[in-house]
Amino acid sequence: WAAQVPASATGLEDLQQFSDAFAQLTAQVKPAVVAIQTEKDVRFGRQGAPFNDFFRRREERGGVQEGLGSGVIVSKDGYILTNNHVITNGRRGDDAVADRIVVEMADMRSFEAEVIGRDPNTDLAVLKIDAGDDLPFLTFGDTDELDVGEWVIAIGNPFGQLHTVTTGIVSALGRGGAGLTDYEDYIQTDAAINPGNSGGALVNTAGELIGINTAIVSRSGGYEGIGFAIPVDLADKIMGQLIAHGEVRRGLLGVNIFQVDAQMVEALKLDSRKGVLVTRVRPGEPAEVAGLKTYDVIREVDGQPTDTPAALRNYIAHTSPGTEVHLKVLRDGKQRSFTVELASLEDADETTSPEEPREAKKLGIAVQELTNEVAQRLGFDGEDGVLVAQVQRQSVAARAGVRSWDLIVEIDRKPVRSLDEYVETLEAAEGTALLLLRRPTPEGTVSLIVALRLPN
């Protein structure tokens, strides 16, 4: 005979309680997640990409494209958060909204939705349905309190399987550089999410909405363990502006910035890589008016660390024009404080065309124009060329020895005197490109030639 082992002694009772808690949580939040069906007249389809969104295109028939995505009810009177690409039938950057948008709830009721506003720059959209004033909805969590390793639930409509629930953890925070939108600050999760989950809910164990599921990294087009969600604090800011104005009004600081790398730490005699480096202060814009200068290192904005360009850019962009922000800046080894009243990014776009740094994907570097101030500081007086602002790790340029602050004077023996000449000369190069560089050193500038084998 065998002795009977109490369930509590083996941990089975705790395991059952854990399972019951997830079931109760699912029952609590599931009614607020909806399916969004779209119809749109189309002429051409779209090819898939390795970095796929979660939008599920169902079929194209008779010139009509049908799509299925997800959304989250966030108020009892019917406001719904979703992705912009859900209501444009999966075309990121497409300005044309679907001709018909229908919201289907978990209780099988369906309602035609009105588009309140949308923001392609963050891939968010707000819809409204007229279904009374007592709808189930999710409250917002505090993503500032979110920790890597926390349990989360993802709810959406993958592959047409309505109201599917999966679990996982928060894998990382502050993810960017995906190239999906202009402003990226994603929550990464390993909860299983697939095409059709776009616009769905990422929920914490308190039943609060913490993210809007938006994209996956996938070579197969399906779940491979890396998914991204827009943090709800960002979604809340965008939603508020879309409801109030029908558009997003973004702040403008008026600087070009780059990540501080190890070479910059040494060259500028910094104590760490914290902060972002100001590479240009644009004339007449708020930063110049407040007194910021090239080579300043911005370390905080309104008490928030700005350890990456994306962090500063996102914060400023999601702050309304006319707002005063407080910056902590390191200048020549001393900390200084500045108060800057933000201008309007939209107004600046209409009146100016600032010279943004150019990226060379072939080489893995970003370059910018050589200004008089930078030339004097680095010892490039009288020189022509473009300045290397940043070098990506493990890139072609990094392996060849190219560094930040190098001045590219020639490519394949052809002078490079402007960004346009740089782009044209590089695009014409094939096989191996020869770069003539000037490099600042404590003893003065030196010349060197590097050979870069270009990718096919």
Side-chain angles (χ1 to χ4, degrees), residues 425-442:
T425 308
L426 184 60
E427 287 179 349
E430 296 180 356
T432 300
L434 289 176
L435 271 61
L436 175 61
L437 307 174
R438 301 275 195 267
R439 176 171 294 168
T441 72

Side-chain angles (χ1 to χ4, degrees), residues 7-83:
S8 58
T10 62
L12 294 180
E13 191 173 87
D14 291 340
L15 183 61
Q16 185 61 53
Q17 290 177 353
F18 180 78
S19 176
D20 290 344
F22 267 97
Q24 293 170 9
L25 176 61
T26 298
Q28 173 186 332
V29 301
K30 186 176 176 181
V33 181
V34 299
I36 297 177
Q37 301 180 35
T38 61
E39 292 183 1
K40 185 177 182 181
D41 293 331
V42 294
R43 292 184 179 180
F44 302 103
R46 181 186 63 134
Q47 297 297 318
F51 202 111
N52 290 293
D53 57 42
F54 305 160
F55 183 80
R56 174 68 172 170
R57 180 177 299 170
R58 300 177 72 180
E59 63 177 330
E60 294 185 14
R61 56 177 178 78
V64 175
Q65 181 190 82
E66 294 182 342
L68 177 65
S70 307
V72 186
I73 304 174
V74 292
S75 71
K76 63 181 181 180
D77 56 348
Y79 282 103
I80 295 172
L81 269 172
T82 186
N83 288 137

Side-chain angles (χ1 to χ4, degrees), residues 116-119 239-249:
I116 300 299
R118 59 197 186 89
D119 180 38
M239 181 178 69
Q241 291 208 47
L242 291 177
I243 292 174
H245 311 297
E247 63 181 3
V248 178
R249 300 173 180 177

Side-chain angles (χ1 to χ4, degrees), residues 353-376:
S353 54
E355 297 171 351
E356 294 292 343
R358 302 281 185 89
E359 292 187 10
K361 295 182 179 179
K362 281 185 177 181
L363 304 183
I365 62 176
V367 300
Q368 66 182 58
E369 295 280 8
L370 179 65
T371 64
N372 291 334
E373 182 182 0
V374 173
Q376 291 174 4

Side-chain angles (χ1 to χ4, degrees), residues 96-288:
V97 176
D99 299 307
R100 187 167 182 259
I101 303 171
V102 176
V103 170
E104 182 176 321
M105 299 181 61
D107 62 8
M108 305 304 289
R109 289 185 293 166
S110 296
F111 303 91
E112 193 149 347
E114 173 191 1
V115 178
I116 300 299
R118 59 197 186 89
D119 180 38
N121 290 325
T122 54
D123 195 20
L124 285 167
V126 177
L127 309 179
K128 179 75 164 58
I129 57 174
D130 185 9
D133 59 0
D134 194 25
L135 291 173
F137 68 97
L138 296 185
T139 58
F140 293 163
D142 185 354
T143 47
D144 287 338
E145 300 297 323
L146 194 62
D147 292 320
V148 174
E150 283 192 36
W151 281 96
V152 290
I153 287 178
I155 308 177
N157 306 290
F159 298 112
Q161 305 303 310
L162 302 184
H163 311 296
T164 295
V165 179
T166 57
T167 63
I169 62 168
V170 173
S171 304
L173 298 168
R175 290 299 198 204
L180 295 173
T181 62
D182 290 339
Y183 303 101
E184 299 181 342
D185 184 25
Y186 295 124
I187 300 168
Q188 181 182 329
T189 180
D190 68 349
I193 39 185
N194 284 288
N197 277 100
S198 278
L202 192 68
V203 179
N204 63 17
T205 53
E208 299 168 328
L209 182 68
I210 58 167
I212 300 297
N213 297 322
T214 299
I216 56 176
V217 173
S218 176
R219 295 179 180 177
S220 66
Y223 170 71
E224 292 188 12
I226 299 180
F228 294 97
I230 300 170
V232 75
D233 56 346
L234 171 56
D236 189 21
K237 291 178 182 178
I238 299 300
M239 181 178 69
Q241 291 208 47
L242 291 177
I243 292 174
H245 311 297
E247 63 181 3
V248 178
R249 300 173 180 177
R250 293 188 160 88
L252 172 72
L253 185 59
V255 294
N256 291 357
I257 54 176
F258 277 96
Q259 183 75 51
V260 174
D261 60 23
Q263 294 165 5
M264 293 179 187
V265 170
E266 181 181 355
L268 298 175
K269 297 180 174 56
L270 303 176
D271 57 357
S272 72
R273 293 180 56 194
K274 292 181 178 179
V276 293
L277 179 68
V278 176
T279 60
R280 184 183 180 218
V281 180
R282 298 200 286 269
E285 295 188 356
E288 185 192 52

